Amino acid sequence: MRGLLLPLLLLLALPLAAQTNVHIVGSSDNAAGKVVGLYGYTDMLTMDEVLLDSVTVDADGGFSLECYVNYPRLVFLQVENYSQSFYIEAGRTYKVHIAEFDWSVGERQNVYLDPVALPLWFDELPDDELNVRITRFGEVVDSMLNARRAEFDSRFRPRRSAFNELEATVNRMLPETDTNSFFARYKRFTMAEMKLSMNFTRRGKLMKEYIEGQPIRYYDEQYMRFFLALFDHSLSRGSRKVPMGRLVSWVDAGDLRTMMDSLGTDPMLKNERVRELVALQAMKEAYYDPGYSADHVREMVEKIARQTKFDEHRQLAGRMVEKFVQHESGADMPSTVLPDVEHQMVDLATDFEGKWVYVSFVRVNDPNSIGEMEVIAHFHDTLAARCPDLEFVSVSCDREFQKMYHFLKSSKRGSRYGWTWLHFDGNYSLLEQLGVVSYPSFMLIDPEGKQHYSVTPPPSSGILLHGPWEKPVEEEESILPFGN
């Protein structure tokens, strides 16, 4: 029996081992102790990020990541909230180096609005490697666009002849014998997107040339980028054949059949698969459009997920709904366990169960954050006496725990803020999950542990004067005396 066990274990282990065909071997100058993650997009419609692998950089600055792909895929290497994107191919090993970097730059500027790229270098890439070829393609295009800027500038009506010369230059300098290769398609759909953006070709003609009669390549990021650009806001804001008001009425009524049949009158949407994918794109745009009811849009997407016969669309619709409800009113609070000023761990989802929790995400040296903290301090004692079911929690998003500690323990101002303080503990992925992209940001958690608002008003809005935590005052029935 013991002799049979080892071969059985080996057989069980083989499928797991087969799931690794890309290796990234890395080194760094000053990233020791930091978590480096390898991410990709689930799809180009929702652009949900999926973690492929992560590891803590060792004391010598080294790290190693692995994943599995069956088609060239765009990924990005991320440390804290700094990242760099590149393509990976099956069967390759990539040697990368993270150069010395000022990790505190995010405290001086909002890197979500003004991103700062991770300084990533590649070692020993052959000349025919995909990233090298894409970089060379970008350099050829950029050099000609810069040299003949006025001929491509939308303010001066771009010249079609100049674009034809650009295409000829690209094909001459970067010839591709295999027209079905990934790089050939990358060039083809990148140039097609440029044609579209410069209005050189009608959308219908681009549809016939690049989409019609061909399979939809959901897995090809550049193809999907062009597809989504081709139909960007072409439906959600209304079209000649389907005015926006009519689309809104179908969404409000949940009339999926009439909506899809009516969209099919557009020659570009005759194909059922194309039509349904474009409808999903329109619903994504409509969800964030004040002209639509967000709840009705979500219900329509849920209906598409239930009724579609295309597995790809069922998955897309499901991810869209998940993304919609993530920050909606009534969404569950994710597990959030963070250290307080005494290094005791506090769970926002359970430690304040049964109470309203007004959470502020701040930085202690940010004037806007301090201004809102002063408003809370002004009302804190009064609210504590009047509303015992209300708790205030501030989460310091400063890189160093000691900055929060000294602010509260050593500064005169810190002594005014006598409520629970936590440190985000370097959990940048949690901040992204909660939608915290600027400071200060706020979140109100109800007694059931759910987010009360989609967007929580700041203290300066006046919310502390009459918040949802206040119990309604029941008026006693007065009994008037008879007589006088």
Side-chain angles (χ1 to χ4, degrees):
M1 189 69 184
R2 186 183 295 272
L4 293 174
L5 183 60
L6 183 58
L8 178 61
L9 290 175
L10 288 174
L11 286 173
L12 291 173
L14 282 175
L16 297 176
Q19 296 305 303
T20 296
N21 62 2
V22 177
H23 301 267
I24 298 175
V25 180
S27 59
S28 64
D29 288 337
N30 64 334
K34 298 185 180 299
V35 176
V36 55
L38 184 68
Y39 294 83
Y41 293 118
T42 56
D43 60 85
M44 296 306 290
L45 178 60
T46 67
M47 297 197 76
D48 274 346
E49 297 174 4
V50 57
L51 178 64
L52 305 175
D53 197 9
S54 67
V55 68
T56 300
V57 180
D58 63 32
D60 295 325
F63 60 92
S64 178
L65 299 163
E66 298 176 342
C67 69
Y68 176 84
V69 298
N70 52 17
Y71 188 78
R73 179 174 188 173
L74 181 69
V75 296
F76 50 97
L77 203 69
Q78 180 162 329
V79 181
E80 297 184 355
N81 43 13
Y82 311 102
S83 64
Q84 182 62 264
S85 61
F86 55 97
Y87 283 90
I88 56 175
E89 297 178 275
R92 282 196 179 272
T93 296
Y94 298 88
K95 295 181 179 179
V96 301
H97 180 76
I98 302 174
E100 187 168 350
F101 184 64
D102 178 6
W103 300 103
S104 65
V105 67
E107 295 202 335
R108 299 188 295 275
Q109 69 185 66
N110 188 326
V111 296
Y112 293 101
L113 299 178
D114 186 14
V116 177
L118 191 69
L120 192 68
W121 299 345
F122 286 85
D123 295 327
E124 303 175 10
L125 286 180
D127 289 342
D128 63 345
E129 195 272 333
L130 183 58
N131 290 287
V132 175
R133 303 176 79 185
I134 288 176
T135 299
R136 193 177 298 132
F137 167 76
E139 290 172 348
V140 171
V141 172
D142 289 346
S143 64
M144 189 164 177
L145 290 178
N146 289 329
R148 304 174 66 173
R149 189 177 296 115
E151 296 176 79
F152 293 101
D153 195 315
S154 59
R155 295 174 297 177
F156 309 122
R157 186 171 298 195
R159 288 179 51 203
R160 178 58 190 263
S161 59
F163 185 83
N164 292 340
E165 290 181 43
L166 173 61
E167 275 192 305
T169 300
V170 167
N171 292 330
R172 184 181 69 255
M173 298 183 66
L174 302 166
E176 186 65 26
T177 55
D178 181 3
T179 57
N180 289 319
S181 72
F182 176 85
F183 181 64
R185 283 195 293 273
Y186 180 91
K187 285 197 308 180
R188 174 176 167 78
F189 290 110
T190 300
M191 299 302 287
E193 190 174 356
M194 291 178 65
K195 282 184 191 177
L196 174 66
S197 65
M198 295 180 184
N199 295 314
F200 287 141
T201 308
R202 290 180 294 106
R203 289 174 60 249
K205 187 174 181 181
L206 290 171
M207 175 74 184
K208 287 179 180 287
E209 184 176 355
Y210 294 95
I211 304 295
E212 198 171 279
Q214 302 180 40
I216 296 178
R217 295 184 171 89
Y218 300 93
Y219 52 86
D220 189 318
E221 283 108 343
Q222 200 60 30
Y223 170 92
M224 287 302 299
R225 199 185 304 272
F226 168 71
F227 184 103
L228 297 173
L230 186 64
F231 293 100
D232 182 42
H233 289 91
S234 63
L235 289 182
S236 60
R237 298 304 299 168
S239 64
R240 182 172 56 84
K241 292 183 176 292
V242 182
M244 180 178 171
R246 194 174 300 170
L247 192 62
V248 170
S249 67
W250 292 328
V251 171
D252 287 344
D255 192 350
L256 177 61
R257 174 176 293 183
T258 301
M259 184 180 82
M260 296 305 294
D261 288 346
S262 300
L263 295 181
T265 61
D266 187 330
M268 292 179 63
L269 301 178
K270 290 290 186 184
N271 180 278
E272 183 182 6
R273 184 183 283 268
V274 170
R275 179 165 70 249
E276 195 170 89
L277 179 56
V278 174
L280 284 172
Q281 179 183 6
M283 291 301 96
K284 176 188 175 183
E285 295 164 355
Y287 184 80
Y288 301 101
D289 190 321
Y292 293 82
S293 162
D295 288 340
H296 291 160
V297 170
R298 173 168 42 77
E299 290 166 4
M300 184 66 89
V301 176
E302 289 171 344
K303 185 170 286 188
I304 294 175
R306 290 193 301 270
Q307 297 184 11
T308 182
K309 63 184 180 182
F310 304 116
D311 289 338
E312 297 91 345
H313 296 175
R314 186 174 298 107
Q315 294 171 18
L316 286 172
R319 284 195 286 267
M320 285 173 64
V321 172
E322 289 178 5
K323 198 159 189 174
F324 289 162
V325 303
Q326 187 174 9
H327 301 298
E328 279 186 352
S329 172
D332 290 326
M333 180 69 183
S335 177
T336 308
V337 182
L338 301 172
D340 66 11
V341 71
E342 305 297 343
H343 291 284
Q344 299 299 310
M345 304 306 291
V346 175
D347 189 336
L348 279 177
T350 61
D351 286 359
F352 301 100
E353 191 172 359
K355 293 189 175 185
W356 292 90
V357 186
Y358 190 87
V359 187
S360 52
F361 297 89
V362 299
R363 284 181 171 165
V364 299
N365 60 349
D366 171 51
N368 295 321
S369 296
I370 295 302
E372 297 291 355
M373 294 304 96
E374 285 294 321
V375 177
I376 295 177
H378 180 77
F379 290 99
H380 180 258
D381 292 344
T382 302
L383 286 171
R386 195 175 72 201
C387 306
D389 292 335
L390 172 63
E391 292 282 345
F392 289 100
V393 176
S394 290
V395 178
S396 167
C397 299
D398 300 281
R399 292 174 54 79
E400 303 297 333
F401 178 91
Q402 292 302 317
K403 184 174 287 189
M404 177 188 77
Y405 182 88
H406 289 303
F407 174 77
L408 295 173
K409 297 292 188 179
S410 305
S411 72
K412 294 179 180 179
R413 173 173 282 171
S415 61
R416 289 174 45 80
Y417 311 142
W419 52 85
T420 301
W421 280 74
L422 308 176
H423 188 259
F424 87 116
D425 204 27
N427 196 339
Y428 291 92
S429 60
L430 173 65
L431 298 183
E432 289 187 18
Q433 185 181 1
L434 295 176
V436 179
V437 297
S438 63
Y439 304 101
S441 291
F442 302 91
M443 177 180 295
L444 182 63
I445 307 171
D446 70 18
E448 296 180 357
K450 299 181 182 297
Q451 299 177 40
H452 185 72
Y453 295 111
S454 298
V455 179
T456 300
S460 57
S461 69
I463 186 176
L464 301 185
L465 294 173
H466 299 289
W469 48 79
E470 291 188 349
K471 296 179 180 179
V473 178
E474 297 182 4
E475 295 184 4
E476 295 184 2
E477 184 178 352
S478 61
I479 303 176
L480 297 176
F482 292 103
N484 295 333

